Amino acid sequence: MLRQVCDEHKALLILDEIYTGFGRTGKWFACEHSRTVPDLVCVGKALTGGFPLSACVGRANLMDAAWPRSTGEAIHTSTFLGHPVGCAMALEQIKEIQSKKLVARSARLGRLLLSALQDLDARSSTLKFHARGVGLLAGVELQRLNGKPATAIALQVTKQMLHRGFIVLPEGEHSNVLGFTPPLIITGDQIHSAVSALGDILAEAMDHSEP
């Protein structure tokens, strides 16, 4: 729909794939799931596997028009501009993703992760529990029966997971979504261990929660 609107009004479609790019969602880029072709894409994070580097990738006719040849002045600056070491690391990181078939692995293990999260026994008289995700980008939303976000419980669960050696982040507008973004090289056993720990912690949290 956005692609169609942009085409109708001669506007650019710019996608932020900093968080979702390079295999995170089981595709090289999340826009591939809807077969959406953007004009510009912003990337970072997994581009180098950790080293600070970001990039804006776009169609040649757009980039050539926007960035004329410099005659000495800085026509563009960025904190994470194309540092030679960062660029070299990005090229090697892309090769690593390709050689280890990590995009396909993300899709496969993402299905395992989502299935395991959905299988959690989260029945409770005080909470609603909803798991969703694509690839190795998943979340578990916690709500009260009245529909209000269970933020306090989500934060409590986040802390308890950390004590057990698992990092999840409180996501969403109300910080009531437990976010899972594991490395693409995570194993199935590690996924099951994390979800098992989450199940135990959720059960304990729900037993002590107020309606």
Side-chain angles (χ1 to χ4, degrees):
M1 183 191 69
L2 288 174
R3 177 72 274 173
Q4 181 179 354
V5 170
C6 287
D7 289 343
E8 289 176 357
H9 295 277
K10 292 183 170 54
L12 297 181
L13 179 59
I14 304 173
L15 299 185
D16 180 351
E17 292 266 12
I18 292 173
Y19 200 52
T20 56
F22 298 97
R24 170 55 57 190
T25 67
K27 298 282 189 181
W28 273 97
F29 295 98
C31 60
E32 295 179 62
H33 289 285
S34 59
R35 298 181 181 178
T36 302
V37 179
D39 298 302
L40 298 172
V41 181
C42 298
V43 295
K45 295 187 184 293
L47 174 61
T48 59
F51 193 88
L53 185 71
S54 61
C56 180
V57 183
R59 292 190 284 114
N61 63 321
L62 292 174
M63 301 300 278
D64 290 344
W67 309 112
R69 185 178 298 276
S70 171
T71 57
E73 76 284 9
I75 60 175
H76 177 54
T77 61
S78 169
T79 303
F80 299 139
L81 204 56
H83 189 283
V85 176
C87 291
M89 292 184 69
L91 293 174
E92 292 303 314
Q93 167 74 350
I94 292 170
K95 290 178 184 177
E96 193 77 356
I97 294 173
Q98 291 174 322
S99 66
K100 288 184 167 51
K101 297 179 172 57
L102 296 184
V103 177
R105 179 185 178 85
S106 174
R108 184 176 71 257
L109 289 180
R111 291 190 290 270
L112 174 65
L113 172 60
L114 185 58
S115 176
L117 290 173
Q118 292 173 335
D119 287 344
L120 282 176
D121 184 10
R123 289 171 295 177
S124 169
S125 60
T126 59
L127 285 179
K128 292 180 181 179
F129 175 99
H130 178 60
R132 59 182 181 270
V134 58
L136 287 174
L137 177 63
V140 178
E141 183 175 6
L142 303 180
Q143 289 182 320
R144 300 289 185 179
L145 294 182
N146 59 10
K148 291 184 177 180
T151 301
I153 292 179
L155 295 177
Q156 175 188 344
V157 170
T158 298
K159 293 178 182 178
Q160 290 301 317
M161 285 289 285
L162 186 59
H163 285 310
R164 296 200 183 194
F166 302 102
I167 299 175
V168 296
L169 296 176
E171 308 275 8
E173 180 182 0
H174 304 288
S175 299
N176 66 315
V177 180
L178 304 174
F180 286 77
T181 54
L184 305 190
I185 57 172
I186 194 171
T187 66
D189 288 343
Q190 289 170 331
I191 287 176
H192 284 302
S193 294
V195 175
S196 176
L198 175 62
D200 294 342
I201 294 169
L202 276 172
E204 182 177 347
M206 289 186 290
D207 287 340
H208 294 88
S209 64
E210 296 294 332

